[in-house]
Amino acid sequence: MKKIALIFSFIFALNTYAQKPVFKGQEPIKQIVTTAKPVQKQWKGIFPFETDAVYFFNNFEGGRLNGIAKDNDSTYTVLITPENTPINTSPWYAFKVWSKQKKRIYVTLTYSEGYKHRYYPKLSNDGLNWTSIDSTDYVEYEKGDKNFGPGSLALNAQMTLEVSSDTLWVSAQELQTSRHVKKWVDDLSKKTFISNLQIGKSKEGRPLTAISIGKKRSKRMLMVISRQHPPEVTGYLAMKAFVETISSDSRLAKKFRKKFTTYVVPLMNPDGVDNGHWRHNSGGIDLNRDWTHFNQPETLAVSKFIEEKENETKGKFYFGIDFHSTWDDIYYTIADSFKGNMPGLVPEWLDNVKKEIPGYNPNIKPSDKMDPAIISRNYFYVAHGMEALVFEIGDNTPRAFIKEKGRLSAIELMKLMLSKL
């Protein structure tokens, strides 16, 4: 039954993609100043409405609710603002709400001037298991005139919520904070061929953890990173499936680990994630613009780790991948004219993935702008010769499809890299 459900999920996902316009990708990336700048801290605590016996709360990892006003006995307007500006339209929100008596309330999400509503609300009763809000309990207002992407966004959105003494969690995407990531890392590290180590600290002192999968001093290495941008949960979910497949007990994975060691930094921006940021780290900077000057401790720690592994093993990193989320699934690759440590790997790999998912046509956007590096993908190639890409997952891509794409992507990569030895 589970397999049948997964097949139907694939069919639904592929039909959905076929009906949407093709996402053209982001504009060329420009170098920005990446020295730290101030961020606006949230006030954290309970927002009580004693007359109604309704309470809102944002004092938890990943929480973001910047202000709230009561419109009438059952309607509330929530204000969401970013950590600083300028910033892209990725307005993260997450809060808890409860009431002393069971009742129905209406919550409108609004944003600071110039920003719009992006993420379809997720609900949870325990902060661990999440479902998307029912479409009958959700409405968007003043939508843009485009049918896809930033131009389609609404100015605000209203949710109908059933609240009671049991806490209801409301979030832009499923919460995956440093606590959740640590549990995943610790569980994965119970396997004898997996270990983890602290490679540095974030600006606020949170540990930056790297996972090692395979032999400790292998001369053949891969680099996987995720979550430079806090709200990009779908990319993180794809990364988990990808890494878990390389870590599995399959014959292919065992053979791969004898030849290659995979290093993973699953949470590049723990401060931004735990503080509920829209985009930046605690230094107020987009980390994926700091791979030239390394002004932020997070990018600096990862770059030093890669250099140390090369020096320690006298080996090479053959592949680097950075998992992100965006408006729709897209692969930002390096133009074929650039030849790294395993030429032709990425286009051949993506072609194999396409063959494994009938009806799936990967959206691939190559770049020939490598210098200055600016972003992780370019740094991986320019500084270390890695065949590299940014693997972007859509905000609303079905979760079962994300997991299967991550799994199949890892399988096809392992097969291909082994065949090229």
Side-chain angles (χ1 to χ4, degrees):
M1 289 296 293
K2 187 176 181 181
K3 188 173 182 180
I4 293 172
L6 191 58
I7 291 171
F8 278 115
S9 176
F10 282 173
I11 293 171
F12 173 78
L14 293 172
N15 286 340
T16 300
Y17 294 149
Q19 294 167 9
K20 287 193 301 188
V22 175
F23 177 46
K24 295 180 180 179
Q26 62 189 7
E27 297 297 319
I29 292 170
K30 298 178 181 178
Q31 181 75 72
I32 64 170
V33 176
T34 59
T35 50
K37 59 182 183 179
V39 300
Q40 179 68 45
K41 295 286 188 180
Q42 294 183 77
W43 182 86
K44 290 292 192 84
I46 297 178
F47 296 77
F49 295 89
E50 297 288 0
T51 304
D52 309 324
V54 173
Y55 305 87
F56 293 80
F57 184 72
N58 68 351
N59 193 14
F60 57 92
E61 290 180 351
R64 178 154 290 267
L65 185 161
N66 300 91
I68 185 166
K70 175 182 171 181
D71 301 321
N72 57 48
D73 290 345
S74 60
T75 304
Y76 306 84
T77 296
V78 167
L79 175 64
I80 307 295
T81 63
E83 59 271 16
N84 61 4
T85 58
I87 201 165
N88 78 331
T89 303
S90 50
W92 178 263
Y93 57 90
F95 55 89
K96 301 179 187 180
V97 58
W98 67 90
S99 174
K100 290 182 180 178
Q101 288 136 5
K102 189 174 181 179
K103 62 172 65 178
R104 176 176 296 172
I105 64 171
Y106 304 90
V107 177
T108 301
L109 298 173
T110 62
Y111 303 92
S112 46
E113 187 174 356
Y115 299 103
K116 297 182 178 182
H117 176 74
R118 175 170 175 175
Y119 298 110
Y120 193 90
K122 313 297 183 298
L123 306 179
S124 175
N125 294 120
D126 58 8
L128 297 173
N129 300 289
W130 296 85
T131 57
S132 295
I133 193 169
D134 192 289
S135 60
T136 61
D137 294 327
Y138 173 76
V139 61
E140 295 179 348
Y141 296 102
E142 297 185 71
K143 286 177 65 69
D145 58 3
K146 306 297 182 183
N147 57 12
F148 181 73
S152 68
L153 297 182
L155 281 181
N156 49 60
Q158 186 176 84
M159 301 173 284
T160 303
L161 303 175
E162 302 290 343
V163 295
S164 68
S165 57
D166 293 330
T167 299
L168 178 66
W169 302 60
V170 180
S171 185
Q173 298 282 33
E174 303 91 325
L175 282 176
Q176 292 291 322
T177 66
S178 61
R179 176 173 59 87
H180 300 95
V181 177
K182 183 180 186 304
K183 184 180 186 309
W184 177 71
V185 170
D186 289 345
D187 288 345
L188 203 64
S189 300
K190 291 175 183 176
K191 297 190 175 188
T192 56
F193 54 86
I194 298 179
S195 60
N196 67 78
L197 68 155
Q198 182 176 319
I199 63 171
K201 291 184 177 180
S202 68
K203 191 170 182 65
E204 290 187 343
R206 292 178 175 84
L208 294 171
T209 300
I211 308 167
S212 172
I213 306 168
K215 295 180 178 180
K216 291 189 180 298
R217 295 182 66 86
S218 173
K219 291 181 180 293
R220 303 185 188 97
M221 298 171 284
L222 294 78
M223 192 71 213
V224 179
I225 66 173
S226 171
R227 213 75 185 280
Q228 292 199 71
H229 301 142
E232 298 184 8
V233 172
T234 55
Y236 170 77
L237 297 177
M239 181 278 300
K240 282 182 65 179
F242 184 88
V243 169
E244 287 167 0
T245 304
I246 293 174
S247 306
S248 72
D249 295 328
S250 72
R251 183 179 300 177
L252 173 64
K254 289 177 181 178
K255 184 178 180 181
F256 185 77
R257 293 194 298 268
K258 289 180 180 179
K259 300 294 184 180
F260 294 93
T261 295
T262 303
Y263 295 103
V264 186
V265 180
L267 183 55
M268 281 285 304
N269 189 355
D271 293 350
V273 168
D274 286 356
N275 285 310
H277 285 186
W278 288 24
R279 180 81 169 180
H280 299 155
N281 73 336
S282 284
I285 297 299
D286 179 343
L287 291 180
N288 206 30
R289 301 296 182 269
D290 189 41
W291 291 90
T292 300
H293 300 298
F294 304 102
N295 286 316
Q296 299 304 309
E298 297 88 351
T299 49
L300 181 62
V302 174
S303 67
K304 284 186 174 180
F305 174 75
I306 294 171
E307 291 171 3
E308 287 168 2
K309 284 299 168 187
E310 285 182 334
N311 293 333
E312 176 188 311
T313 63
K314 308 302 180 187
K316 296 179 181 178
F317 280 86
Y318 286 84
F319 178 76
I321 186 168
D322 183 4
F323 285 86
H324 284 258
S325 306
T326 189
W327 307 99
D328 199 6
D329 295 14
I330 190 168
Y331 303 85
Y332 292 112
T333 62
I334 293 172
D336 293 348
S337 56
F338 294 94
K339 308 297 181 184
N341 294 334
M342 197 171 273
L345 175 68
V346 170
E348 191 174 347
W349 169 53
L350 294 180
D351 190 52
N352 291 349
V353 171
K354 177 181 177 179
K355 292 173 184 176
E356 285 300 307
I357 308 177
Y360 178 58
N361 189 24
N363 187 4
I364 302 170
K365 187 175 183 182
S367 173
D368 59 2
K369 306 296 184 185
M370 292 292 109
D371 199 12
I374 304 178
I375 65 173
S376 61
R377 176 201 62 193
N378 296 10
Y379 166 76
F380 288 163
Y381 173 80
V382 170
H384 300 282
M386 297 186 216
E387 310 297 337
L389 77 159
V390 177
F391 191 163
E392 298 256 18
I393 303 292
D395 296 334
N396 300 313
T397 300
R399 276 31 180 181
F401 189 54
I402 291 174
K403 187 173 183 179
E404 188 65 2
K405 271 213 312 181
R407 186 186 74 85
L408 288 172
S409 296
I411 289 171
E412 294 306 314
L413 182 70
M414 289 189 288
K415 286 180 184 177
L416 189 56
M417 294 188 75
L418 285 170
S419 74
K420 289 182 175 291
L421 291 180

